[in-house]
Amino acid sequence: MALDAKLSSHPIEVDCPDANHINQIFDALSYSKAASVLRMLSAYVGEENFLKGVSLYLKKKLFANSRTHDLWEGISQATGLDITGLMENWVTKVGFPVITVSETADRKSIRVRQDRFLETGIADGEDNETIWNVPLAILSVQDDGVKVDKSIVLQEREKTIPLDATKPFKLNAGTNGVYRVLYTPERLSQIASEAVKENSVFSLEDRLGLVFDAMALSRAGLTKLSSVLTLVEAWRNEKEYLVWQGIAHNVQTLASVWWEYPEIVERADKFCRVSALALSGTEQAVSDRNEKTLFVPLVHKLGYNYPEGEELNTLLLRKLAITQASASGDEGVVAELKSRFKHYVETGDESQVPAELQPAIFTAVSRYFLAAGLAITSPGHEYGGVTEYEALIHIHDNAKTPHEKVAAIQGLSSTRDPALLTRTFDFISTRAREQDIIYFFRALSSNNKARRRLNEYFQDRYDIGHCTAWQYES
């Protein structure tokens, strides 16, 4: 959706007058958006009807060529609905909508409006002419229980829908729809409060959708960042890795927008260390870090070791929490990762650097160590030292697994020291294998101190073959 939110996006289905254009046409929009639109359609008509329609389509076009409308006709036959009319704009028009939700004064109805969503806000003029047929999938709490109404489709610019707004409700139940939903700050806060309850009416998919919608809408300037932080604050006791991963990804993306403004990046990092309430000043000063931090409590709860038979959700959540806490500069986590690296380098004991944590450990030592070696400094004020850098080169050259080598590359690319960055770029030019260049570039592009230099490096060597892997990836 991030790609499709750009003004330069293109429809799923476009003309291909020349076979040589295929590689330019078939991209994430052609595949991922197309798959998402089909998932939305399946949720709207029901999986059984959807698969029945696909079966009819396949049988009818057996050993023959087909067009998009042939699939729509098959699903129309299975459902008795006008699927062609429903789906036409989703595949032939560029972009997707944002649904703005407001409540009437008597709170007996809601009003919804659709506009094309762009990463810069709502589209203007001729860029906002498309009217999509939007399955709203409204989840609401009623006297007789929870109901998800999949029959309501927004086929016009605006529509008023009868609904008891005094009780919890949410559009795009299950987050199957290819659109964003913009609530008022008050309604978003109410949904967030309901979502954290045990046996909440809102599912994991609903929580994921709320996180990604809120962050995207905030970056587009359609809602205040404070509303998003309040949402995240309410979910500090969340247990699911996917929700935390969504929070981490979006906070990083938000900080990345302001990567050349250190004071803003520091505030984003601080948010990962200190909770939204503490940042806003609505609580006392941060006297108890365990209760007022975002990722660190997860680290303390889950630890650094990986017992056998552990659930995948816990395994992934531990890695994410440690990575985020370290990246944000939490001194306690950085100290632990430093200690583990020192033990590994001195003894070769691999138990202290499990594979899952190697990227976080190698990045931390490159980013935060002093040149003298082992003393902690305030993260961001001192850079990784030569001793640690040389150790990472040794690990890279003698890596026991491909994963360890890639982790070492990430570490070498994470230094913030200008002289060591120069060595990394020289390493790419003189020693790195061609298939490894992309790993260097990915890590360097995430390093605020290296982005400008990476751009210059790429431009200087574009025509001499050093960037083959990068060209292929992009």
Side-chain angles (χ1 to χ4, degrees):
M1 294 179 78
L3 185 61
D4 204 23
K6 297 182 181 296
L7 192 60
S8 58
S9 183
H10 66 79
I12 293 173
E13 187 176 281
V14 296
D15 292 331
C16 185
D18 189 329
N20 292 323
H21 296 170
I22 288 177
N23 287 337
Q24 298 179 10
I25 291 173
F26 289 97
D27 57 10
L29 294 174
S30 304
Y31 289 103
S32 298
K33 184 184 178 183
S36 297
V37 165
L38 290 175
R39 179 172 176 263
M40 177 176 65
L41 177 58
S42 175
Y44 173 64
V45 302
E47 184 175 336
E48 183 176 346
N49 285 332
F50 178 81
L51 293 177
K52 181 179 179 181
V54 171
S55 179
L56 292 172
Y57 152 72
L58 291 174
K59 290 177 181 177
K60 182 178 180 180
K61 306 304 293 187
L62 187 65
F63 304 120
N65 294 327
S66 64
R67 302 175 63 183
T68 304
H69 284 186
D70 296 323
L71 175 60
W72 301 154
E73 289 173 3
I75 301 176
S76 295
Q77 183 180 347
T79 62
L81 302 172
D82 180 14
I83 301 299
T84 300
L86 178 73
M87 301 303 295
E88 186 70 12
N89 283 353
W90 287 105
V91 296
T92 62
K93 301 296 183 180
V94 64
F96 62 90
V98 54
I99 308 300
T100 303
V101 183
S102 57
E103 302 171 18
T104 58
D106 60 8
R107 305 193 72 184
K108 294 182 178 179
S109 301
I110 60 172
R111 190 161 186 82
V112 294
R113 174 188 170 89
Q114 63 166 296
D115 295 278
R116 182 184 172 190
F117 176 77
L118 294 176
E119 61 183 357
T120 54
I122 291 177
D124 297 320
E126 63 181 11
D127 295 318
N128 192 22
E129 294 179 349
T130 302
I131 301 296
W132 287 270
N133 297 307
V134 185
L136 295 179
I138 301 177
L139 182 153
S140 60
V141 176
Q142 302 181 4
D143 293 336
D144 56 350
V146 179
K147 178 182 179 182
V148 177
D149 189 346
K150 297 183 179 181
S151 65
I152 302 177
V153 178
L154 180 61
Q155 298 175 307
E156 51 273 298
R157 179 69 71 184
E158 295 185 62
K159 184 175 185 177
T160 299
I161 302 170
L163 182 71
D164 184 357
T166 64
K167 298 178 180 179
F169 72 88
K170 178 185 177 294
L171 276 64
N172 199 11
T175 315
N176 295 301
V178 186
Y179 54 89
R180 303 289 187 195
V181 183
L182 174 60
Y183 300 98
T184 63
E186 297 76 17
R187 175 54 58 180
L188 181 62
S189 178
Q190 292 172 18
I191 294 175
S193 298
E194 175 64 31
V196 299
K197 295 179 181 178
E198 290 290 336
N199 302 316
S200 171
V201 298
F202 301 127
S203 66
L204 169 61
E205 292 78 9
D206 288 322
R207 301 200 298 280
L208 283 171
L210 287 168
V211 168
F212 279 90
D213 280 1
M215 291 290 189
L217 293 166
S218 176
R219 291 196 301 272
L222 297 179
T223 189
K224 292 182 178 180
L225 179 59
S226 58
S227 297
V228 181
L229 299 185
T230 299
L231 173 72
V232 174
E233 173 66 28
W235 292 355
R236 289 176 61 238
N237 294 320
E238 173 64 50
K239 300 177 182 179
E240 292 291 339
Y241 160 76
L242 289 175
V243 176
W244 278 110
Q245 191 274 337
I247 292 172
H249 168 77
N250 281 285
V251 171
Q252 288 175 337
T253 302
L254 185 66
S256 181
V257 173
W258 303 96
W259 66 277
E260 291 186 291
Y261 295 82
E263 66 280 5
I264 297 178
V265 173
E266 170 57 24
R267 286 184 66 84
D269 287 343
K270 188 176 182 181
F271 176 69
C272 292
R273 301 194 300 269
V274 183
S275 74
L277 287 178
L279 281 175
S280 66
T282 56
E283 290 193 355
Q284 296 178 352
V286 185
S287 57
D288 185 349
R289 299 175 67 253
N290 290 343
E291 293 186 1
K292 290 183 170 53
T293 52
L294 193 59
F295 287 101
V296 176
L298 287 173
V299 177
H300 291 170
K301 177 181 178 181
L302 300 174
Y304 295 84
N305 299 317
Y306 288 80
E308 292 187 10
E310 188 171 48
E311 291 185 356
L312 179 61
N313 182 77
T314 304
L315 185 150
L316 294 174
L317 187 55
R318 177 186 295 106
K319 177 181 178 180
L320 176 69
I322 293 173
T323 300
Q324 292 301 313
S326 171
S328 67
D330 182 84
E331 292 189 3
V333 175
V334 171
E336 175 65 27
L337 299 185
K338 282 179 46 179
S339 174
R340 287 170 173 265
F341 181 79
K342 178 186 176 184
H343 179 80
Y344 175 55
V345 170
E346 293 179 349
T347 68
D349 180 8
E350 299 177 2
S351 66
Q352 295 296 300
V353 287
E356 293 83 358
L357 295 185
Q358 285 176 356
I361 293 172
F362 296 167
T363 297
V365 299
S366 177
R367 185 176 293 172
Y368 298 129
F369 269 84
L370 281 171
L374 304 174
I376 296 180
T377 64
S378 298
H381 297 291
E382 298 288 348
Y383 303 125
V386 176
T387 302
E388 293 71 42
Y389 191 90
E390 294 288 354
L392 288 171
I393 290 179
H394 178 78
I395 292 172
H396 170 277
D397 293 343
N398 299 276
K400 301 179 178 63
T401 65
H403 176 82
E404 185 177 37
K405 185 171 187 176
V406 172
I409 289 173
Q410 185 171 331
L412 293 171
S413 303
S414 297
T415 179
R416 297 178 179 180
D417 182 271
L420 295 180
L421 278 175
T422 298
R423 290 187 60 179
T424 298
F425 284 110
D426 290 342
F427 190 98
I428 296 172
S429 299
T430 60
R431 293 183 55 184
R433 298 183 305 172
E434 186 172 281
Q435 60 266 41
D436 290 338
I437 292 177
I438 186 61
Y439 299 118
F440 280 98
F441 281 12
R442 281 177 176 171
L444 287 166
S445 67
S446 299
N447 183 348
N448 292 348
K449 300 294 183 180
R451 283 184 176 176
R452 289 291 182 193
R453 296 183 63 174
L454 175 61
N455 182 57
E456 295 170 1
Y457 180 91
F458 178 68
Q459 291 182 13
D460 292 343
R461 291 159 177 77
Y462 186 85
D463 296 325
I464 60 176
H466 277 294
C467 300
T468 303
W470 178 258
Q471 295 177 46
Y472 179 81
E473 177 70 14
S474 60

